[in-house]
Amino acid sequence: KANGTACDDGTACTLSDICLSGACTGVFLSCDDGDPCNGTDTCDPPSGGCVTGPPPNCDDGDPCTSDSCVAFTGCTHLSLGAFACGLGGIEQTLALLQQNIQAAPVTSLGGQPRQTRLLGLVNRGLARVQSARTSPTRLRAQQLHLIQAKLKSFTSVLDAGMRRLSIEPILGATLRSLAVGAMSDLQSLRASVA
């Protein structure tokens, strides 16, 4: 066909199809709705309808922010404040302790009873983190004290196992370092809410 002759390129995503240098081409439909929260909008060739893409991942990896996608604006990262930020860091440390204990061979912790005891203390600490997060301000210091008590018990059980040489030394040192760091963070956080 001659250049400029009407044709059909077989896709509903183009308009005003014409022959150009032996090929049928048209003007592509724009499906961009201007909202980055809808992901990349594309045209469905069979129907010509616009399809939204997957939403963006707005998680910035910072426990001190609340991440979301705001329509026609995009990702936002709102500060949660000092208490929530500190508590989020402690929660991450407890979750890391939990993962390390669950992943460790039972023999490296001196047997199933000790692994169960250590895991129970960490789980109760995590439950207290949730309580502290939702507690009235006047009760936060008490909840933090209870988390710290769980971590003190954790280190006592750990130290006893390490003295008896029933806990693998590198694993024990790693768990102890995490627990002591969390206790230090708790102490600072308790001082800020007192």
Side-chain angles (χ1 to χ4, degrees), residues 48 98 115 151 159 167 185:
Q98 182 185 54
Q115 184 183 38
L151 284 167
D159 289 345
I167 292 181
D185 293 344

Side-chain angles (χ1 to χ4, degrees), residues 13-34:
C13 291
T14 58
L15 299 173
S16 305
D17 299 340
I18 59 167
C19 277
L20 187 62
S21 301
C24 187
T25 63
V27 177
F28 282 95
L29 292 173
S30 173
C31 284
D32 185 3
D33 64 2

Side-chain angles (χ1 to χ4, degrees), residues 49-91:
C50 291
V51 179
T52 60
N57 177 2
C58 291
D59 185 1
D60 63 3
D62 184 350
C64 299
T65 61
S66 173
D67 308 314
S68 63
C69 196
V70 176
F72 300 100
T73 300
C75 291
T76 61
H77 313 284
L78 300 175
S79 173
L80 295 174
F83 180 78
C85 180
L87 196 60
I90 292 163
E91 182 177 35

Side-chain angles (χ1 to χ4, degrees), residues 152-192:
K152 282 182 183 177
S153 295
F154 178 90
T155 55
S156 294
V157 170
L158 198 59
D159 289 345
M162 291 173 72
R163 278 192 306 275
R164 293 185 187 114
L165 304 175
S166 57
I167 292 181
E168 194 275 321
I170 294 173
L171 176 61
T174 299
L175 295 175
R176 191 173 202 298
S177 175
L178 287 168
V180 168
M183 285 193 291
S184 175
D185 293 344
L186 274 162
Q187 192 63 34
S188 299
L189 194 55
R190 283 180 66 196
S192 74

Side-chain angles (χ1 to χ4, degrees), residues 9 18 34 38 44-45 50 58 74 99 105 112 116 124 129-131 134 142 146-147 159 168 176 184 190:
D9 64 4
I18 59 167
N38 288 338
D44 176 48
C50 291
C58 291
Q99 290 169 3
Q112 184 68 46
T116 300
R124 287 192 292 283
V129 166
Q130 293 305 320
S131 295
T134 58
Q142 177 186 3
L146 294 171
I147 298 166
D159 289 345
E168 194 275 321
R176 191 173 202 298
S184 175
R190 283 180 66 196

